[in-house]
């Protein structure tokens, strides 16, 4: 029985490692596609260039947020999330756990199609 508990612990650790690797890959791709920057280079960069990059990513996140608020066709929630995760990682903020990310606590409002639309311009 003791071996079974150890096996479960190893399986959970493996799952956490795979999730972290997926998150890092998503962040690398988002930063590479949007900014043309390799995230590995940013950690070795000088503090002033890193600060400049952080400001640039904050502007990109704000643009994504604005696109989402306007329901623009080019808005991508996954890109928005990946940029936020890159920013958190560069700023040294702790990553959210998978249980926190996957929790459906009503924080994300789903579109139901029953919203009032603004009247069309004359």
């Amino acid at each position: 029985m003791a071996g079974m508990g150890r096996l479960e612990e190893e399986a959970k650790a493996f799952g956490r490692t795979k999730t972290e690797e997926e998150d890092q890959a998503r962040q690398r791709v988002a930063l590479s596609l949007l900014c043309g920057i390799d995230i590995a280079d940013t950690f070795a960069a000088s503090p002033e260039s890193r600060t400049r990059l952080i400001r640039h990513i904050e502007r990109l996140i704000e643009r994504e947020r604005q696109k989402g608020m306007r329901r623009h066709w080019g808005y991508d929630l996954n890109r928005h999330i990946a940029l936020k995760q890159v920013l958190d990682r560069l700023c040294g903020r702790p990553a959210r756990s998978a249980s926190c990310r996957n929790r459906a606590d009503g924080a994300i409002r789903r579109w139901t199609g029953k919203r009032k639309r603004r009247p069309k311009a004359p």
Side-chain angles (χ1 to χ4, degrees):
M1 285 304 222
M4 192 61 136
R6 189 173 138 227
L7 183 62
E8 288 176 4
E9 289 175 18
E10 288 178 9
K12 287 179 184 178
F14 177 78
R16 282 191 301 271
T17 303
K18 293 302 280 183
T19 302
E20 290 172 11
E21 288 174 359
E22 289 172 3
D23 290 345
Q24 290 174 5
R26 189 179 311 109
Q27 292 167 7
R28 279 193 310 270
V29 169
L31 194 59
S32 177
L33 289 174
L34 293 173
C35 306
I37 300 168
D38 184 25
I39 196 165
D41 295 340
T42 61
F43 289 109
S46 67
E48 59 194 29
S49 63
R50 193 170 176 176
T51 303
R52 215 172 335 151
L53 178 64
I54 288 172
R55 276 191 252 126
H56 181 66
I57 292 173
E58 286 173 343
R59 285 191 304 268
L60 288 172
I61 290 172
E62 181 60 24
R63 286 183 197 154
E64 281 297 312
R65 190 184 71 76
Q66 290 296 323
K67 277 199 253 182
M69 295 294 288
R70 288 188 218 117
R71 299 192 194 288
H72 190 272
W73 64 269
Y75 175 71
D76 184 8
L77 178 62
N78 291 324
R79 179 174 48 225
H80 196 157
I81 291 169
L83 285 169
K84 178 67 172 116
Q85 289 173 345
V86 167
L87 180 66
D88 288 346
R89 192 167 164 202
L90 286 174
C91 293
R93 296 181 194 134
R96 294 178 149 208
S97 65
S99 62
C100 185
R101 273 193 310 256
N102 296 331
R103 184 178 43 184
D105 58 359
I108 298 174
R109 192 173 66 185
R110 289 184 172 79
W111 185 68
T112 61
K114 297 181 181 179
R115 293 201 172 90
K116 292 183 181 178
R117 298 183 184 259
R118 286 189 253 157
K120 292 188 176 185

